[in-house]
Amino acid sequence: MKKHFQTIWIIGASSGIGAALARKLHENPTSSAQKIIISARNSDKLDELAAEMPGLTPVPVDITDTNAVNGAIAKVEKQFGLPDLVVLAAGIYSPMKLSAFSAATIRSHVDTNYMGIVNCLEPLLNKMRARKSGEIAVMASVAGYRGLPNAAAYGPTKAALINLCESLHTELSGSGVLLRVINPGFVNTRLTDKNDFEMPYLLEPEQAADYIYRGLCGSDKFEIAFPPPFVRQLKLTQILPYPIFFKLMRKLL
């Protein structure tokens, strides 16, 4: 299977995985008429990417602001029509140890990583369902599989996204709209630069973009998760009894 998308919108494309995916799609178009829209809060970064890759259209948006999201969707629709594929890759990350437990830190992650994605999903799903076609891929994380040390702010938002996508995927059956989840492992970005621990199977953004590109264009599978060895190990922890799981997690402290 090789899918052909004419209009692709990547939200969260100013850096990291989102920017690498935009570059991958620009260098390997899925169709001769392909158009790519890139969005994020940082308009300067978007402009730099658009200058580097002519043909990309920057549309700045803050996904925590519902009015801004609706305005961005209206702008994209007016210029390009409703996209065939939307990748919701925007998010923030801060490691949070127990000694720094903070409601404010958790709230900021929920506002961006969860509610920000929800703010995008509501109008996009309504419009795609009315059209009876379209694909949306939500960037979650393998950190959402189980509760990991130092991830009390980030991990729960990704677990919530996985759960949300599972729920909606079932209800969207037969609608013509495909909702998928992307679960990366550790990827070398400005966000993971904050970590002070060894990150197993660390990938470069370009490697992550390769996995996502193949998953988006080559199948309809619900989950795009990578790298495979790390995914298998973390999925195994999902079936471990709590005493064994917590014993393993204490070794990470």
Side-chain angles (χ1 to χ4, degrees):
M1 176 187 291
K2 176 65 185 295
K3 296 186 181 182
H4 304 284
F5 300 108
Q6 290 197 359
T7 307
I8 301 169
W9 189 8
I10 305 173
I11 300 178
S14 61
S15 63
I17 299 174
L21 180 59
R23 187 172 290 107
K24 178 74 175 181
L25 286 162
H26 182 263
E27 294 172 353
N28 302 271
T30 65
S31 72
S32 58
Q34 177 181 278
K35 299 177 181 66
I36 302 174
I37 304 105
I38 52 173
S39 292
R41 283 183 291 193
N42 192 325
S43 59
D44 290 339
K45 287 285 189 182
L46 294 177
D47 289 340
E48 288 175 14
L49 277 175
E52 174 192 339
M53 294 177 277
L56 269 65
T57 302
V59 177
V61 64
D62 179 354
I63 63 171
T64 66
D65 182 339
T66 54
N67 290 330
V69 170
N70 290 331
I73 291 174
K75 182 175 182 179
V76 169
E77 273 196 290
K78 183 177 181 180
Q79 187 169 354
F80 301 102
L82 187 64
D84 304 310
L85 169 66
V86 180
V87 180
L88 299 176
I92 63 173
Y93 166 71
S94 292
M96 188 180 72
K97 298 180 183 295
L98 175 61
S99 58
F101 189 88
S102 162
T105 299
I106 292 174
R107 187 176 298 110
S108 68
H109 282 68
V110 171
D111 288 346
T112 299
N113 294 359
Y114 185 70
M115 287 309 303
I117 300 301
V118 169
N119 291 340
C120 298
L121 281 174
E122 181 182 5
L124 288 170
L125 285 173
N126 287 336
K127 290 175 180 293
M128 287 185 175
R129 287 175 64 214
R131 188 181 63 182
K132 298 184 179 179
S133 69
E135 295 194 19
I136 302 173
V138 172
M139 189 79 69
S141 169
V142 296
Y145 289 166
R146 288 205 79 160
L148 304 176
N150 304 323
Y154 178 78
T157 64
K158 298 303 184 178
L161 286 178
I162 295 170
N163 190 292
L164 174 69
C165 290
E166 289 173 346
S167 176
L168 294 174
H169 181 86
T170 302
E171 294 192 58
L172 285 167
S173 178
S175 70
V177 180
L178 178 63
L179 178 64
R180 315 168 75 179
V181 67
I182 302 170
N183 288 325
F186 290 112
V187 180
N188 186 19
T189 68
R190 59 181 176 79
L191 298 181
T192 53
D193 283 345
K194 301 175 183 179
N195 290 334
D196 60 1
F197 54 86
E198 182 179 351
M199 293 175 280
Y201 303 101
L202 181 66
L203 300 175
E204 293 302 318
E206 294 74 20
Q207 294 174 292
D210 286 344
Y211 277 111
I212 296 169
Y213 179 89
R214 291 197 299 270
L216 292 175
C217 299
S219 78
D220 280 339
K221 289 196 304 183
F222 170 69
E223 183 186 29
I224 301 169
F226 55 87
F230 195 36
V231 170
R232 286 193 293 269
Q233 290 172 22
L234 287 177
K235 281 187 179 288
L236 178 61
T237 70
Q238 292 179 308
I239 62 174
L240 291 178
Y242 278 124
I244 298 175
F245 171 72
F246 289 135
K247 183 177 181 179
L248 286 174
M249 291 304 102
R250 282 192 291 272
K251 295 181 178 181
L252 302 178
L253 296 175

